[in-house]
Amino acid sequence: MQKLIIEGERKLGGSIKVHGAKNSALPILAATFLSGKHSVLHNCPRLSDVFAACRILSFLGCRCSREDDTVIIDSSQPTCAEVPDGLMREMRSSIVFLGAILGRLGKCRLSFPGGCELGPRPIDMHLSSLRLMGAQIRESHGVLDCDCSKGLVGTVINLSFPSVGATENIMLAAVLAKGETVIRNAAREPEISDLADYLNACGAKITGQGTGTIRIHGVKALNGAEYTVMPDRIVAATYMGAAAITGSELTLTGVRPSDFDSTTALFEQMGCSVYCYSDKLYISAKKPLKAVKTIRTMPYPGFPTDVQAIAMAVLTQAHGTSVIVENIFESRYKHVDELCRMGADIKAEGRVAIIEGVKRLSGAAVKATDLRGGAALVLAGLAAEGETVISDIKHIDRGYENIESALNSVGARISRVS
Ligand code: UD1
């Protein structure tokens, strides 16, 4: 098992290139299965979750190859409509393959994704939506058996919550369905627009992506496409957090700043200066940071739940009391205990966390509890006095391409040991 060892209290400076978005690459990889042709995806990050998605595609009979950050997928000869349990468990978001396999082959068998580090992860909206489109879905012994031998049919789907995964699964299932599918109260995350843009590049007819109403006019067949995955806005937020917590200046390149206005606003409230120009973002932080009254995580364009842990780590170093209300996931404060081991003063109860800024964090042995919680510990380690040792870093590797190399290139001292 690998660990990260961080020598804290070092100032950072320089430039980091932000890699492609995991949460965009995963549904787009599933979408390449729908196309039935060759697709070439650029800016596809080298992350364990992305490798797991490629393993699922290979199991389904696709040919996948990678050269640097480009992945080439040939989905012309699918050999099965099933994802085995082991592969489903490798990556929680593998459920997004359901819409793609069902849309392409008219049947699909996969195991239930189950709960995860963030608490229960129900898929009721995914399943009820696909049923509305004519899919017959049997759930037994943890396996989902789905069938729509007569083909899926477009319909109007009103989501009770703008679920990202459900919106993606419906879009994937609807692209080759008969007639028009309308998703109301659809998720508006930039990753949804990226998926729609890739599918449209393949010949799909999707409009309204990025708004609450998405219309998908079913087409008979798709082509492959050459497409560049959008930059990762959560990784960008993490490196902004690295600058803020160390009182440093950093430039991020390869970003799309308009994707994370609510994150930028937060760092500005803490007293950081942020300047954006085209695909670059410059952040300059001076300590002490200011506390922030209340942060509420919300669906996009609200403050992202994926930046909650990162914001919390930074706010441990702010002057005064900050409050976070987590509205998206039930159990997303597992990093709190680990931050407290490092000297943070945080009380979390239910959906609310209260952070009293402390003068100094101190290095400790801590454990990454989930992907973004793990990234929060890396940030805390950068600011802490002495050495921080983070274990269970497999969680961090799910979403960050070599986080230690990126941060070491701007002056951090982080080593990975086995
Ligand atoms: C995606 C992101 C994840 C992010 C989340 C919210 C990917 C791979 N993951 O996850 O990083 O934190 O969006 O922005 O893109 N829910 C139900 N029933 C359902 C579906 C969802 O109750 O059928 C609930 C979930 O339990 C959760 C909330 O809706 O409380 C939001 O979930 P959702 O938007 O679906 O998140 P994911 O797509 O799983």
Side-chain angles (χ1 to χ4, degrees):
M1 210 169 62
Q2 294 188 322
K3 292 179 181 184
L4 289 179
I5 301 179
I6 307 174
E7 197 183 294
E9 290 187 301
R10 292 175 64 87
K11 265 236 185 280
L12 307 181
S15 163
I16 300 180
K17 160 112 175 54
V18 171
H19 59 69
K22 167 180 87 74
N23 288 355
S24 192
L26 298 179
I28 292 177
L29 282 166
T32 63
F33 185 70
L34 266 180
S35 78
K37 305 267 165 49
H38 262 90
S39 278
V40 179
L41 301 182
H42 301 294
N43 207 25
C44 203
R46 280 161 286 198
L47 301 169
S48 52
D49 271 11
V50 171
F51 298 141
C54 290
R55 277 195 289 278
I56 293 178
L57 284 169
S58 301
F59 187 87
L60 293 169
C62 302
R63 277 188 296 176
C64 298
S65 59
R66 177 184 272 277
E67 214 170 282
D68 298 328
D69 66 354
T70 298
V71 175
I72 302 162
I73 305 102
D74 173 4
S75 60
S76 56
Q77 287 172 335
T79 49
C80 76
E82 185 177 341
V83 184
D85 189 55
L87 282 176
M88 281 300 285
R89 281 179 195 275
E90 274 192 38
M91 178 182 65
R92 306 286 178 191
S93 41
S94 46
I95 190 65
V96 81
F97 276 88
L98 172 58
I101 300 173
L102 199 58
R104 169 96 189 265
L105 302 176
K107 59 182 179 173
C108 176
R109 187 180 154 91
L110 38 77
S111 60
F112 231 82
C116 78
E117 309 88 33
L118 310 183
R121 208 105 178 222
I123 52 165
D124 51 312
M125 280 188 264
H126 302 235
L127 301 186
S128 60
S129 305
L130 295 175
R131 283 184 173 120
L132 278 176
M133 296 176 72
Q136 290 183 333
I137 306 177
R138 270 172 301 145
E139 304 167 47
S140 65
H141 307 292
V143 174
L144 292 165
D145 245 313
C146 315
D147 193 272
C148 60
S149 41
K150 290 189 191 131
L152 293 167
V153 181
T155 184
V156 177
I157 296 167
N158 295 300
L159 292 178
S160 56
F161 181 88
S163 155
V164 173
T167 303
E168 289 166 349
N169 247 333
I170 301 165
M171 283 165 66
L172 290 165
V175 162
L176 295 174
K178 285 185 205 118
E180 188 178 63
T181 303
V182 182
I183 313 173
R184 298 224 169 96
N185 199 25
R188 293 190 276 163
E189 270 69 2
E191 292 77 11
I192 299 282
S193 300
D194 214 31
L195 172 62
D197 292 347
Y198 164 74
L199 286 166
N200 283 342
C202 294
K205 288 191 177 160
I206 305 175
T207 55
Q209 60 271 27
T211 76
T213 304
I214 299 177
R215 290 174 191 276
I216 306 115
H217 191 86
V219 295
K220 286 228 152 60
L222 295 173
N223 299 306
E226 185 164 355
Y227 191 77
T228 300
V229 174
M230 65 175 272
D232 198 309
R233 62 194 169 101
I234 312 301
V235 170
T238 307
Y239 295 143
M240 289 172 85
I245 202 166
T246 55
S248 305
E249 292 176 23
L250 283 181
T251 301
L252 305 184
T253 63
V255 292
R256 220 162 60 182
S258 58
D259 286 341
F260 47 91
D261 287 339
S262 61
T263 300
T264 299
L266 174 77
F267 284 110
E268 285 174 338
Q269 282 174 52
M270 290 185 201
C272 302
S273 305
V274 182
Y275 303 97
C276 302
Y277 179 71
S278 177
D279 67 345
K280 291 190 181 60
L281 179 147
Y282 166 81
I283 177 165
S284 165
K286 279 198 184 61
K287 283 189 159 180
L289 300 168
K290 291 183 226 159
V292 175
K293 242 186 183 169
T294 314
I295 301 171
R296 291 185 176 80
T297 64
M298 304 282 251
Y300 192 84
F303 189 79
T305 174
D306 287 351
V307 185
Q308 178 255 106
I310 290 151
M312 182 182 284
V314 178
L315 288 168
T316 63
Q317 294 291 277
H319 183 71
T321 309
S322 307
V323 176
I324 295 181
V325 184
E326 171 55 60
N327 289 310
I328 307 296
F329 287 104
E330 265 176 44
S331 175
R332 205 165 191 176
Y333 284 139
K334 294 203 173 125
H335 45 279
V336 166
D337 285 351
E338 303 301 309
L339 287 171
C340 289
R341 271 174 181 259
M342 299 178 70
D345 180 353
I346 308 168
K347 286 177 192 63
E349 208 175 305
R351 293 191 176 277
V352 179
I354 298 170
I355 304 121
E356 296 286 351
V358 292
K359 272 235 159 67
R360 183 153 289 164
L361 294 170
S362 52
V366 288
K367 205 164 142 177
T369 51
D370 60 86
L371 166 53
R372 307 303 168 187
L377 297 178
V378 173
L379 298 193
L382 292 176
E385 193 182 9
E387 193 176 87
T388 298
V389 181
I390 308 179
S391 57
D392 263 6
I393 58 170
K394 61 176 189 290
H395 294 295
I396 302 174
D397 292 335
R398 285 184 41 227
Y400 296 87
E401 232 183 62
N402 243 319
I403 195 167
E404 70 276 21
S405 305
L407 289 168
N408 287 345
S409 75
V410 291
R413 197 165 283 169
I414 308 176
S415 50
R416 184 182 284 254
V417 295
S418 290

